[in-house]
Amino acid sequence: MRLGVLVVLLAVLALIQVAFGALWIPPARVLEALTGPPRDFTDTIILQQRLPRVAVACTVGAALAVAGLVLQKVMQNVLVSPSTLGINAGATVAVVLAMFFGMSGGTLLFPALIGGTAAMGATLLASRLIAGQGDRRLDLVLAGSMIGILCSSVSTFVISLDPDLFGDLMGWLVGDIGNFDYLALPVVLPVVAVALAIALILCPQLDLLTTGEDQARLLGVNTALLQGLALALAVLLAVAAVVVVGPIGFIGLVVPHLVKLAMGETGRATLVAVALTGPCLLMLADILARVALAPRVLHVGTVMGLSGGAIFLVMVLALVRRGRA
Amino acid sequence: MILRTGPFSAQVSRRFLWALPVLLAAVAALVWIAIGAGATPTTATERLSALRGEGLIGDLRRPRILVALLGGAMTAASGIILQTVSRNGLADPGLLGLSQGSVVAILIGGLVFGLGSGALVWVGLGGALAVSVLVLGLGRGTLAGGGIVLVGLAVNIVLGSVTEIVMTSGDATRFARLAVWSRGSLAGVSAGDLRLIAVWALVTVPLLLALSRHLAPLLLGHDAARGVGVDTRRLLPALVLLAAALSAPVVVVCGPISFLGLIAGYVARRLVGDAPTEVLVTGMILGGGILLLADTAGRAALAPLVVPAGLMTSVAGVVVFLLAIAADRRLNR
Amino acid sequence: MIRLVLAALLLPLPLLAKDITDDAGFTVTIPDDPQRVVSLHDWITTVMAAELGVPLAGTSARLRSDGSLYVRSAEELFGMTVPEVPLASIHGQTDPEQVAALRPDLIIGNLGDTLDQRDQLALVAPTIIMDPEGGRDPLDLYRAFAGWVNRSELFEAKLAAFQADAQGVAGGRDLSACTYLPVLANDRDGTLTILRHYGGVTMALDTLGLTLADAAGMVPESQSRTVVSAEMAGALRADVLVLTYLSSREETPDTPRNAFDRAAPGFLQGFGGHVMAVERERAYPISFQGAAEVMRALPADIACAEPR
């Protein structure tokens, strides 16, 4: 039932997405293009430029949201997500470096994987080191932001070496679904599909982890293996998204939280709901990006940073207050 | 140990008395290396005259060295004040969002309203103040355990997005240029910038030292401080204002230097203990030294490649910081 | 102190000197006939200096991914290499000291990359800031540059020769009915960059008598380029669409065509006009050499019945 509502919402947002763009195309004309034979360039815009954008928004939104959910389950920490753990920034710097060395397209996934994994590893290591007497969950996020700042400093430096090579990268660096990397799609789409399927299969085992590691071990779960597998899956999903659309933050943080409010945090239905809500949020942000300062078009990454940062702030305050009470 | 000089007397720890000359000597050695480092080789006499500001070498290297020392010291002092006020060792003008507040205000003031650098300090100060009030207000009562730092991080993220809006509104070249500044660099420092920093240092640092003796009671908690007769209602806003005034001019000239306050404060406390005035003085010397080291290494080590100081402090600084904590843990185990 | 240093620097210069106002609005006193010029932008200022035979004391260069250095465009057009001409800076990484070590009597940089360090550079030698992307015609920019480096006569002679060359290439055809539009298709993010001025392309096609297409009106007055969504491809009307590719990144004439096909599928096929792809290293800089090559790349069978 709730999933049905989400599907309808997704369809409506997708239709608005297709109507919006550099030029406004009335929804009636959109439906015409979707059903009738192609006539002019408007059909090209709808069928070959805007529909792929919707497809990308769905794939990437789902990938980031599910990555966030898996991370939160494995780490038992509502504040972690691909962006707060530094995975996005790590993948970004790896992609920028790889591009400087002449790589492009789908092959960028491999350096991005290395970068994302390394950044997450560094975050985990750093969080152990800075761990104070306080909340361990906060240490992790603090470490993630340190690694994130470090990575983006390096990206900035590499770009400054030859801005003419990276000029058309501005939107991607901030994160945007309007300007995505067409070249990487053929590699990234299947990867995301397979990873989402695996996440769906593993879902019951992951839910066991949320009851506590000891409990899960008693029930015969190989926790170390499961955790490792889940982390790898999350990094893969997040990194695949970064390669295509750049580091869009907070989808992975906010979406699991929203879904949890409505339908709890365990079960396959929750995972599907998260995979549906991610694209909804992303498209909503994209529509906002187009109307907020119209005629100037903002980047989705900026809108997500603004709104996601505010939501993150509320979450942090709630968490800290509860910890104190 | 008690020092007496005429009418003044102060209690000084033995560790501080050791650390102070050692650090000063290290910084002096660093200055000597920095004034000699660069594309043109220099003899000892040339270095001396350059230090007096004579010759082209003096014109180019001396402002940069002095700005690094002053800017680093001011950033470190700002961090240590914030650490004391928030009673959290991880506080830092960068992490709490003060620097980013200045960045947003400066970008808008400079790009939208076309203000000059003198006026931009005030704009940046306003931004830093607004953010510090916001963060400390929201994080009030959540100071322990990194809570306030997370509040700062969240505010940082929101402000970072505003920065992005401004930065991406021009062409790619401008984006690249602003991006370098927004990560901290001393490459553009001129004699005018040095004057600007020096004026602000002359005003803020004496105030800081005057206020520093009130910092000790704050370490026990604000209630306890009130208990021993400290007027926290006046002292805390004054300290926050001072922290903002120490960091804003540095942001105008060099951009935000990440983690410097955090690192300098941590190392200073490990060296000399907890007495606020001692931590402040030690931390400021360390902050200046670290920024000078980062800038000198950045411009000389990989020449002709010039690595911005902000990048050096965030990469080398964070790595060294984490290693230092790790080593520290091992020793204390 | 600074004034003393400046005075000391100015002493060895010839007594003849002139005041000019650069593109950033600074009034600069420069030597009448500079003998040691440092150019801080490879394919903007170094290329012009190389073509006009200006004595270069140093140039900026880019870092290739294998760590070697190259002077973009100046190498392709004039075979210039570092260290044959000494290195003044790595692109965007100007170290004033390294510039000083070259003992320049004039420094020329560009607005985007050099403005931040102008104060320091001005301590080394008179420093001129150029703004190549401010919406000014390339020939005007080139003429101003020639004036700064005492090459006005040479510039006018080269211009006359170039115009004569253009008449030969045109071969009596009246091309004024033909419109052209330089466009960069970004193969990564599906956007189009529309250009009002594009160095050698503008010089070549304007001199041949072609007209800039109306679509260039999308570019704001004080700029040379603007980025638009690929959805705007439908609004691009021109007889000649000029695409460019970076040959130093192993791109080929097909690269921009493929990029266009990905960003605006089917558009080039239904375009109707001519599509020409030229090397960006030769076509972007402001130079007669590059412009002559662009002229010759224009399809010989071009014919435009009426303005489209």
Side-chain angles (χ1 to χ4, degrees):
Chain A
M1 171 49 206
R2 276 170 181 148
L3 291 182
V5 174
L6 276 177
V7 171
V8 172
L9 182 65
L10 190 63
V12 171
L13 283 170
L15 195 64
I16 300 178
Q17 264 278 310
V18 175
F20 261 116
L23 311 154
W24 163 257
I25 302 175
R29 180 72 184 82
V30 173
L31 289 176
E32 218 175 285
L34 291 179
T35 50
R39 287 179 311 181
D40 53 17
F41 195 68
T42 308
D43 291 291
T44 307
I45 293 180
I46 293 169
L47 296 175
Q48 306 205 41
Q49 295 183 330
R50 295 195 184 172
L51 278 184
R53 199 174 76 199
V54 172
V56 164
C58 289
T59 319
V60 165
L64 286 170
V66 171
L69 180 75
V70 170
L71 287 172
Q72 293 182 5
K73 280 187 180 176
V74 173
M75 299 193 175
Q76 288 295 293
N77 182 342
V78 293
L79 292 180
V80 302
S81 73
S83 50
T84 48
L85 284 182
I87 299 173
N88 283 357
T92 306
V93 70
V95 168
V96 167
L97 274 169
M99 290 182 74
F100 183 74
F101 287 102
M103 288 173 74
S104 70
T107 47
L108 288 175
L109 188 61
F110 301 104
L113 263 177
I114 296 171
T117 312
M120 189 180 69
T123 299
L124 293 176
L125 195 70
S127 77
R128 294 253 161 87
L129 290 176
I130 58 173
Q133 315 83 335
D135 199 327
R136 163 114 179 92
R137 292 178 289 189
L138 306 186
D139 293 331
L140 204 53
V141 179
L142 185 62
S145 90
M146 286 174 96
I147 301 299
I149 293 176
L150 197 150
C151 288
S152 51
S153 299
V154 178
S155 307
T156 309
F157 174 69
V158 174
I159 290 168
S160 75
L161 286 178
D162 196 347
D164 293 319
L165 288 184
F166 296 100
D168 42 2
L169 211 60
M170 203 158 72
W172 180 84
L173 276 176
V174 177
D176 201 359
I177 58 171
N179 311 329
F180 54 82
D181 188 351
Y182 288 77
L183 303 176
L185 280 183
V187 177
V188 166
L189 286 182
V191 167
V192 169
V194 170
L196 285 178
I198 297 176
L200 199 61
I201 295 169
L202 283 182
C203 189
Q205 276 78 25
L206 288 176
D207 287 341
L208 287 179
L209 282 181
T210 57
T211 57
E213 259 181 65
D214 297 336
Q215 191 77 21
R217 215 170 286 136
L218 281 179
L219 290 167
V221 179
N222 183 345
T223 48
L225 179 69
L226 184 61
Q227 282 172 330
L229 201 59
L231 283 183
L233 202 62
V235 172
L236 182 63
L237 281 168
V239 157
V242 171
V243 168
V244 179
V245 297
I248 299 181
F250 300 100
I251 300 276
L253 181 80
V254 174
V255 171
H257 205 66
L258 288 177
V259 172
K260 190 161 58 173
L261 292 179
M263 42 197 301
E265 54 183 325
T266 54
R268 286 203 168 111
T270 301
L271 191 111
V272 175
V274 165
L276 288 173
T277 312
C280 286
L281 189 65
L282 195 54
M283 286 197 265
L284 199 63
D286 187 51
I287 294 167
L288 264 176
R290 287 169 193 284
V291 293
L293 286 185
R296 257 206 69 195
V297 178
L298 301 178
H299 299 291
V300 179
T302 307
V303 173
M304 277 317 297
L306 278 174
S307 51
I311 295 172
F312 181 59
L313 179 61
V314 173
M315 286 172 68
V316 165
L317 287 177
L319 197 73
V320 177
R321 294 254 154 83
R322 209 182 317 141
R324 208 162 31 109
Chain B
M1 181 180 287
I2 297 181
L3 281 188
R4 284 204 180 78
T5 338
F8 300 103
S9 72
Q11 197 165 6
V12 183
S13 76
R14 203 174 288 273
R15 267 155 64 176
F16 181 65
L17 282 182
W18 271 108
L20 190 64
V22 171
L23 284 177
L24 283 176
V27 170
L30 203 53
V31 169
W32 185 250
I33 293 169
I35 198 81
T40 333
T42 40
T43 62
T45 356
E46 281 166 342
R47 290 188 196 194
L48 279 176
S49 62
L51 278 176
R52 284 195 300 269
E54 288 160 15
L56 186 63
I57 299 289
D59 278 323
L60 290 175
R61 291 181 197 167
R62 200 175 79 131
R64 209 162 154 165
I65 290 171
L66 292 176
V67 165
L69 288 177
L70 286 174
M74 287 161 80
T75 309
S78 175
I80 292 168
I81 295 178
L82 292 171
Q83 286 155 20
T84 314
V85 170
S86 67
R87 280 191 292 140
N88 187 319
L90 296 174
D92 169 286
L95 285 176
L96 284 195
L98 270 73
S99 307
Q100 199 61 250
S102 298
V103 168
V104 169
I106 288 165
L107 276 180
I108 294 175
L111 292 177
V112 182
F113 297 102
L115 299 174
S117 64
L120 283 180
V121 182
W122 293 99
V123 175
L125 181 62
L129 265 183
V131 170
S132 54
V133 169
L134 181 74
V135 170
L136 291 172
L138 284 174
R140 198 185 39 207
T142 65
L143 301 176
I148 192 156
V149 179
L150 280 179
V151 173
L153 278 181
V155 172
N156 248 331
I157 291 162
V158 175
L159 291 171
S161 305
V162 179
T163 313
E164 275 172 13
I165 296 180
V166 181
M167 290 206 318
T168 54
S169 62
D171 58 27
T173 317
R174 192 173 87 161
F175 176 80
R177 199 160 55 95
L178 288 177
V180 170
W181 172 75
S182 73
R183 305 263 173 243
S185 165
L186 273 76
V189 165
S190 63
D193 295 324
L194 173 61
R195 271 195 297 279
L196 188 86
I197 288 264
V199 167
W200 280 85
L202 273 178
V203 176
T204 50
V205 174
L207 259 175
L208 173 70
L209 294 176
L211 279 177
S212 70
R213 65 195 169 87
H214 297 298
L215 285 172
L218 287 180
L219 291 174
L220 306 169
H222 299 175
D223 295 334
R226 260 193 298 278
V228 298
V230 175
D231 183 358
T232 52
R233 229 185 257 175
R234 276 209 224 146
L235 180 63
L236 289 180
L239 285 173
V240 171
L241 178 65
L242 198 56
L246 281 161
S247 86
V250 185
V251 176
V252 171
V253 171
C254 324
I257 308 285
S258 312
F259 306 117
L260 189 56
L262 174 77
I263 296 168
Y266 178 87
V267 177
R269 272 189 296 274
R270 295 304 307 165
L271 283 177
V272 301
D274 283 324
T277 311
E278 294 174 9
V279 172
L280 258 178
V281 173
T282 316
M284 285 170 71
I285 298 171
L286 275 167
I290 293 171
L291 190 55
L292 179 58
L293 180 63
D295 186 48
T296 309
R299 72 183 165 88
L302 291 175
L305 206 61
V306 184
V307 183
L311 180 71
M312 292 300 281
T313 52
S314 61
V315 176
V318 166
V319 171
V320 171
F321 176 59
L322 290 174
L323 288 178
I325 300 179
D328 208 24
R329 286 271 162 82
R330 199 153 301 154
L331 285 178
N332 291 346
R333 194 166 286 162
Chain C
M1 183 52 59
I2 291 162
R3 231 172 283 140
L4 279 178
V5 173
L6 270 181
L9 274 168
L10 289 171
L11 274 182
L13 297 180
L15 285 173
L16 288 170
K18 58 192 170 191
D19 280 351
I20 60 116
T21 302
D22 70 7
D23 294 353
F26 294 101
T27 301
V28 192
T29 305
I30 59 171
D32 217 24
D33 186 18
Q35 292 304 312
R36 297 189 60 81
V37 177
V38 162
S39 153
L40 291 177
H41 200 294
D42 46 7
W43 63 350
I44 296 173
T45 51
T46 300
V47 164
M48 289 190 267
E51 187 165 75
L52 295 177
V54 175
L56 279 177
T59 175
S60 74
R62 313 232 177 194
L63 201 57
R64 276 205 192 96
S65 52
D66 64 2
S68 63
L69 291 165
Y70 93 114
V71 198
R72 179 169 288 161
S73 290
E75 179 173 321
E76 281 87 355
L77 286 168
F78 306 108
M80 181 189 289
T81 53
V82 166
E84 192 191 300
V85 172
L87 177 73
S89 76
I90 288 182
H91 182 86
Q93 308 273 318
T94 310
D95 176 1
E97 267 190 52
Q98 201 177 343
V99 175
L102 300 169
R103 292 177 294 108
D105 57 4
L106 181 65
I107 301 169
I108 305 181
N110 71 316
L111 195 68
D113 297 295
T114 319
L115 188 61
D116 284 346
Q117 290 176 293
R118 190 199 169 272
D119 287 357
Q120 295 165 315
L121 290 169
L123 292 172
V124 176
T127 302
I128 299 176
I129 305 285
M130 191 167 189
D131 182 12
E133 295 279 338
R136 279 171 68 197
D137 186 84
L139 273 177
D140 289 347
L141 287 167
Y142 203 175
R143 185 174 280 120
F145 181 90
W148 298 333
V149 292
N150 196 30
R151 291 291 186 279
S152 294
E153 280 171 35
L154 181 62
F155 170 81
E156 297 302 337
K158 279 188 179 278
L159 177 60
F162 176 70
Q163 283 164 339
D165 186 22
Q167 271 185 346
V169 171
R173 289 175 294 172
D174 177 15
L175 297 171
S176 61
C178 295
T179 57
Y180 74 94
L181 186 68
V183 179
L184 304 178
N186 300 337
D187 68 337
R188 191 180 167 89
D189 63 10
T191 56
L192 303 175
T193 305
I194 312 279
L195 300 131
R196 181 203 303 280
H197 295 305
Y198 202 69
V201 173
T202 304
M203 286 166 67
L205 302 186
D206 279 1
T207 310
L208 277 176
L210 283 81
T211 319
L212 188 63
D214 290 339
M218 284 191 251
V219 183
E221 200 60 44
S222 63
Q223 285 166 30
S224 292
R225 58 176 74 198
T226 194
V227 178
V228 299
S229 160
E231 292 176 6
M232 305 303 287
L236 304 184
R237 302 256 179 283
D239 294 304
V240 184
L241 208 58
V242 188
L243 312 178
T244 62
Y245 59 97
L246 272 176
S247 63
S248 56
R249 295 287 279 191
E250 275 122 42
E251 295 179 358
T252 66
D254 284 334
T255 312
R257 284 177 215 267
N258 293 339
F260 224 109
D261 282 344
R262 264 188 302 273
F267 173 74
L268 283 186
Q269 287 70 27
F271 174 63
H274 295 270
V275 179
M276 61 188 270
V278 290
E279 254 179 77
R280 195 175 302 162
E281 287 87 347
R282 294 170 182 275
Y284 172 69
I286 300 174
S287 80
F288 292 118
Q289 168 102 29
E293 290 174 26
V294 174
M295 274 194 319
R296 286 179 170 75
L298 189 73
D301 58 342
I302 181 170
C304 322
E306 54 191 294
R308 285 159 58 118

